[in-house]
Amino acid sequence: MSTDSMKTCDFHFELPPELIAQTPIEPRDASRLMVLDKRTGEIEHRHFSDILDYLCPGDCLILNDSRVLPARIFGTKTETGAHVEFLLLENKGNDTWEALCKPGKRAKEGNCFQFGDGLFMGQITEVKEDGSRLVRFEYQGEFFSLLDQIGQMPLPPYIKERLKDQERYQTVYSRETGSAAAPTAGLHFTPELLERVREKGIAVGFVTLHVGLGTFRPVSAERITDHKMHAEHYYMPAETAELINCTRAAGRRVIAVGTTSCRTIESVAQKEHCFRESSGWTDIFIYPGYEFKGVNGLITNFHLPESTLIMLVSALAGREHVLGAYAKAVEERYRFFSFGDAMLVI
């Protein structure tokens, strides 16, 4: 099938709703792991704690250290007392954030709101064409510390259960605050498992890509080549670039932990034509036909039907192999999406 003829519906599969994981499993590395051979399509069924069996000394893992903002806050309109939910999307600078508001009819330009019994005050300064708002905040203290006090995790819309421990929607290595959603492939790692990874001679490097809510937007275009990706900010430090260069020079494998790490690595390769310290905005769209320039393997979760994420996995392992693996995952009752089980493509 040629790239130009690929349609969004070519990445459809039937997913029983009861397989959408609502709560995280304990401990983190007790989740199931499907291992997919990208060359043959062969599948093995393991647990995530077994992942070391598939990693070799000299390989490297590249993880996204972005940390999720507790970006869902609830405001009271100062004029009327009406309640409005705000979802912070992006820091625009000067204490102004782009946000989604619900219900939007209560959040018009000029409207003012208070949050957390007055910890924050906010005013709508602009209503954008796509329906999002720009909100300018006033507060006393440090913004992110105050946000930690009043904010809730912006869980994906398919998760209906309330999260008891907000840290379970953070990776154990998260440190750079800025994401609207977790880089969920990394949720399976524990500090102990990462230590075992290093002890085996597998290097660990970090990039930062702040995940936007565009991650959850469905592909509406009939042909995948007509889809326009959302832009997200990334940063690759010099030590990670050097690690990737050394790993590749030695003929070993670069394994991305999550589609966000994968997109960062490939974005740097595409823009810089090499691996070096760099940052910027990426709207890279990876789908079958793409030639990977840095990534050899991928740790990921099981994704939405017809999503850009399943298209990325299909670019690495082949559409037929991936859809076959997903059919087996449904048959074997794997848990899907953010709090679900994992897949290793290698």
Side-chain angles (χ1 to χ4, degrees), residues 3-251:
T3 297
D4 290 340
S5 65
M6 277 190 185
K7 296 183 178 180
T8 301
C9 61
D10 293 326
F11 297 87
H12 182 76
F13 64 94
E14 294 297 330
L15 178 65
E18 66 270 17
L19 296 186
I20 300 173
Q22 294 295 314
T23 53
I25 198 166
E26 295 293 347
R28 290 172 181 256
D29 61 357
S31 56
R32 296 169 74 187
L33 175 69
M34 177 183 284
V35 183
L36 173 63
D37 187 316
K38 65 183 181 183
R39 291 167 293 277
T40 67
E42 291 182 9
I43 291 169
E44 292 183 58
H45 303 287
R46 303 291 294 272
H47 285 90
F48 198 82
S49 55
D50 301 325
I51 199 162
L52 279 174
D53 293 345
Y54 300 91
L55 305 178
C56 302
D59 291 343
C60 73
L61 294 181
I62 305 298
L63 300 87
N64 181 5
D65 63 6
S66 183
R67 186 168 175 81
V68 186
L69 281 167
R72 180 169 276 122
I73 57 177
F74 298 88
T76 304
K77 196 171 182 178
T78 54
E79 296 93 332
T80 64
H83 295 281
V84 177
E85 177 183 331
F86 286 68
L87 184 60
L88 305 183
L89 300 179
E90 185 185 326
N91 186 354
K92 295 294 189 179
N94 298 319
D95 293 320
T96 297
W97 284 74
E98 183 178 354
L100 296 178
C101 301
K102 187 171 67 174
K105 63 184 179 182
R106 294 180 181 172
K108 297 177 180 177
E109 187 171 327
N111 289 163
C112 296
F113 298 83
Q114 70 164 349
F115 305 86
D117 295 324
L119 276 179
F120 285 107
M121 299 298 292
Q123 183 178 35
I124 309 293
T125 60
E126 183 182 340
V127 178
K128 300 180 64 115
E129 285 186 11
D130 63 1
S132 65
R133 271 69 170 165
L134 294 184
V135 189
R136 186 174 64 245
F137 290 100
E138 295 181 4
Y139 52 91
Q140 295 292 323
E142 202 277 318
F143 182 85
F144 293 111
S145 296
L146 297 173
L147 191 62
D148 278 337
Q149 294 180 42
I150 67 170
Q152 295 181 12
M153 279 298 156
L155 294 179
Y158 46 74
I159 294 178
K160 310 301 181 186
E161 295 284 334
R162 182 77 179 268
L163 187 61
K164 294 178 182 177
D165 176 8
Q166 297 211 115
E167 279 301 307
R168 284 302 274 110
Y169 194 56
Q170 305 277 15
T171 63
V172 297
Y173 49 80
S174 64
R175 56 191 176 193
E176 300 293 337
T177 300
S179 277
T184 55
L187 295 178
H188 304 281
F189 282 96
T190 65
E192 295 77 16
L193 182 56
L194 283 171
E195 185 58 33
R196 288 171 53 210
V197 165
R198 292 184 174 102
E199 287 173 354
K200 190 173 178 179
I202 298 134
V204 175
F206 295 94
V207 294
T208 303
L209 183 140
H210 291 316
V211 187
L213 282 185
T215 296
F216 303 115
R217 287 185 185 138
V219 178
S220 57
E222 181 180 355
R223 293 189 308 171
I224 64 173
T225 50
D226 292 336
H227 177 67
K228 173 65 175 160
M229 284 288 286
H230 57 288
E232 295 166 314
H233 192 265
Y234 70 87
Y235 171 62
M236 177 178 286
E239 57 266 31
T240 301
E242 183 179 359
L243 172 59
I244 294 172
N245 286 328
C246 291
T247 302
R248 291 175 58 79

